[in-house]
Amino acid sequence: CSVPASSSIILTQKLNCCEQALGFNSLLCLVAQRKGMVINMEPVLIIWLIGIIAFVILEAVTYQIVSIWFAIGAAGGLVAALCGAEFNIQMLVFIAVSVIMLLCLRPLSKKAIKTNIEKTNVDSLIGKEVLITYEVNNIKSTGQGTVAGMDWTVRSTDNTVISEDEIALVERVEGVKLIVKRKGE
């Protein structure tokens, strides 16, 4: 089925010609008239193009630098399809390229993009010195201290008693309590 370059055949006739010659659905058959040639867009190529577009859109929405590697893998699958590889080989190329990109380049991209996580007020207390204002005794459930001008309920990390006017270091925060250890231990 050839279409002469000077022919005035309408597009539907061209699509029917493509269907007859190549056996593809008219929605999936892209016909171009160039020097009497029919160019076919196979369904598998459309699948790879849709995959590339979907992964790029997903990456644009999530900003997690994960799906971009799958878009590159889909491009690899598209190249394999254009080279005439069977679908199972195309899938292997897609998986291999995606995994290699994910494993090799994601750590580098995370370092480059580095998101600085701001400590909250509570997180910023960890490692700070606390002036014990009331004896810390976990058994008696007592203890109070001042850090950064604020009074806190204080408990020790290892059930040691910390006397009033001693200095302790904040190890962690549990709810509204500072968990501390005696400075120098």
Side-chain angles (χ1 to χ4, degrees), residues 46-108:
I46 293 173
I47 291 170
W48 289 119
L49 287 173
I50 289 171
I52 292 168
I53 292 167
F55 285 125
V56 168
I57 290 171
L58 184 63
E59 183 63 40
V61 172
T62 61
Y63 300 111
Q64 294 295 316
I65 309 178
V66 173
S67 44
I68 193 69
W69 312 124
F70 295 108
I72 295 169
L78 177 65
V79 169
L82 289 171
C83 290
E86 292 183 20
F87 188 71
N88 57 351
I89 301 298
Q90 295 171 33
M91 285 302 293
L92 284 173
V93 169
F94 166 71
I95 292 168
V97 170
S98 297
V99 168
I100 290 169
M101 291 287 120
L102 188 64
L103 294 177
C104 295
L105 297 178
R106 188 161 197 276
L108 297 174

Side-chain angles (χ1 to χ4, degrees), residues 5-66:
S6 63
S7 175
S8 61
I9 299 174
I10 59 174
L11 183 58
T12 56
Q13 289 174 328
K14 291 179 186 177
L15 290 172
N16 289 336
C17 176
C18 181
E19 282 180 356
Q20 290 169 3
L22 302 170
F24 292 102
N25 186 320
S26 62
L27 293 174
L28 300 176
C29 188
L30 174 65
V31 177
Q33 181 180 346
R34 194 172 280 180
K35 296 181 184 177
M37 295 175 58
V38 175
I39 298 172
N40 174 44
M41 184 73 151
E42 294 183 32
V44 72
L45 298 178
I46 293 173
I47 291 170
W48 289 119
L49 287 173
I50 289 171
I52 292 168
I53 292 167
F55 285 125
V56 168
I57 290 171
L58 184 63
E59 183 63 40
V61 172
T62 61
Y63 300 111
Q64 294 295 316
I65 309 178
V66 173

Side-chain angles (χ1 to χ4, degrees), residues 125-132 134-138 142-147 152-163 166-174 177-183 185:
L125 296 176
I126 297 172
K128 297 244 177 155
E129 292 183 349
V130 179
L131 173 62
I132 303 301
Y134 191 82
E135 180 183 77
V136 177
N137 187 327
N138 290 0
T142 62
Q144 202 168 22
T146 302
V147 62
W152 288 83
T153 301
V154 179
R155 297 291 181 263
S156 68
T157 56
D158 54 3
N159 291 329
T160 59
V161 175
I162 304 173
S163 301
E166 281 192 62
I167 301 292
L169 295 175
V170 178
E171 290 284 307
R172 64 183 185 275
V173 180
E174 291 182 3
K177 295 178 182 144
L178 298 180
I179 309 302
V180 300
K181 70 175 182 178
R182 183 179 281 126
K183 187 174 180 180
E185 285 185 1

